[in-house]
Amino acid sequence: MKKSEIRFSIALDDQKVPEAISWSATDAGPDIHFAKAINISLWDRDEAGTMKIDLWTKDMPVDEMKHFYVDTIGAMAESVLTATNDSFMATKMRELCRQLMDHIEEEQRNQK
């Protein structure tokens, strides 16, 4: 059986706020990669529930954070379609992404 590992390293400031997030993976080569935010969800088999880890660095701008969440929902729409073949759920999630992007774009227009 092939085994893969993904490792995250979080550098915290004195107030325990993330300053840097790095990751490496056995299937991604030897390089260390950097991120401004991570969002990890796990389905706990014993609790039959979701465990989540959401972290972002101090230098993650709000507009990028909003795009990050819209991208995450869009990726989840593709995953739910692949995993369950539930096109209704996938379609609703994509519609939500479009509505959220409209909201973000309207905010950007109003800031100019």
Side-chain angles (χ1 to χ4, degrees):
M1 174 194 310
K2 182 177 179 345
K3 183 177 178 181
S4 294
E5 290 186 11
I6 302 170
R7 294 177 185 216
F8 293 95
S9 180
I10 315 299
L12 305 173
D13 68 10
D14 294 339
Q15 285 77 45
K16 299 184 180 178
V17 175
E19 286 189 324
I21 299 170
S22 62
W23 66 275
S24 62
T26 54
D27 290 345
D31 294 340
I32 295 174
H33 306 273
F34 292 90
K36 289 184 181 178
I38 59 173
N39 175 299
I40 303 169
S41 298
L42 305 169
W43 185 260
D44 186 290
R45 88 166 81 176
D46 296 330
E47 297 294 323
T50 303
M51 183 192 86
K52 289 186 49 44
I53 300 170
D54 294 303
L55 296 172
W56 53 92
T57 59
K58 294 189 238 184
D59 67 336
M60 179 73 165
V62 171
D63 61 324
E64 286 184 20
M65 181 63 78
K66 291 179 180 184
H67 281 96
F68 174 62
Y69 280 112
V70 172
D71 286 349
T72 300
I73 295 168
M76 289 173 21
E78 297 309 309
S79 294
V80 77
L81 184 61
T82 300
T84 68
N85 204 30
D86 190 328
S87 60
F88 178 83
M89 281 186 70
T91 299
K92 289 295 185 183
M93 293 168 81
R94 287 185 197 116
E95 288 172 5
L96 175 60
C97 287
R98 279 190 289 279
Q99 291 171 358
L100 293 172
M101 283 308 301
D102 289 345
H103 168 70
I104 291 169
E105 290 168 1
E106 179 68 23
E107 280 186 331
Q108 290 172 340
R109 282 191 294 276
N110 290 338
Q111 289 177 357
K112 292 182 179 178

